[in-house]
Amino acid sequence: MPDLLEYQKRCADEFGRRVTAIRDDQWSRPTPCSDWDVRMLVNHLVYEDRWAPHLAKGETIEEVGDRYEGDQLGDDPKSAWNDAVAGSIAAFQAPGVLERTVHLSFGDVPGEEYLSQLVGDHLIHAWELARGIGDDDTLDPEIVAWAWEMIQPQEPMLRASGLFGERIAVPDDADTQTKLLAIVGRRR
């Protein structure tokens, strides 16, 4: 098993590097996720990272409530990102978090599984953000390989959730990043 805490930091850095690169005129640019422009994509991850400390402590969805609904970026989106991701990373550093039960919307899972989901989400969204702002979209190859191995057996369940677009056909000899993106419905 990889060091998920290290992967979390590396994926946060991947996404954060791209957040830092966003120019003022790029916040409304489209991303490969057709429902979100750049600002909405960053808001989505800030939202996720604000939830993470609560869920990592074992709080339920009901206990957290709707406090993070709506715009989480305010007038300083980059600071909002930095604050939210720092809290998420710190939450998973606490002893026992990876073994603790986390209460998600679809059921209870070990903290390790929840962190795996966060890492994968940050990875894919780093690519989307790169595409949205015209940045280098190459992702960390070690984490891409891990995500590819992790996601394949879960594809039917993830596809049924509606979270992914339709799988895109790619050649068998495509690189791993292309295959990973294709399985979640993204065209490289």
Side-chain angles (χ1 to χ4, degrees), residues 27-42:
W27 289 100
S28 61
R29 288 184 64 172
T31 70
C33 185
S34 61
D35 293 339
W36 292 332
D37 63 16
V38 167
R39 183 179 175 90
M40 293 167 70
L41 177 63
V42 173

Side-chain angles (χ1 to χ4, degrees), residues 14-33:
E14 288 255 0
F15 192 82
R17 179 178 60 78
R18 290 166 174 106
V19 170
T20 300
I22 300 170
R23 296 186 318 262
D24 289 342
D25 65 339
Q26 292 181 313
W27 289 100
S28 61
R29 288 184 64 172
T31 70
C33 185

Side-chain angles (χ1 to χ4, degrees), residues 60-122:
T60 65
I61 302 290
E62 293 76 26
E63 289 172 322
V64 178
D66 62 0
R67 70 182 89 178
Y68 298 120
E69 295 303 314
D71 178 41
Q72 294 297 305
L73 303 183
D75 295 332
D76 191 354
K78 294 177 182 182
S79 290
W81 158 255
N82 289 327
D83 178 62
V85 76
S88 180
I89 289 171
F92 284 96
Q93 300 297 316
V97 168
L98 297 182
E99 295 79 31
R100 182 174 295 140
T101 298
V102 176
H103 310 288
L104 300 178
S105 59
F106 60 84
D108 292 349
V109 299
E112 183 176 42
E113 184 175 329
Y114 174 48
L115 182 55
S116 292
Q117 292 173 17
L118 285 176
V119 168
D121 208 33
H122 282 66

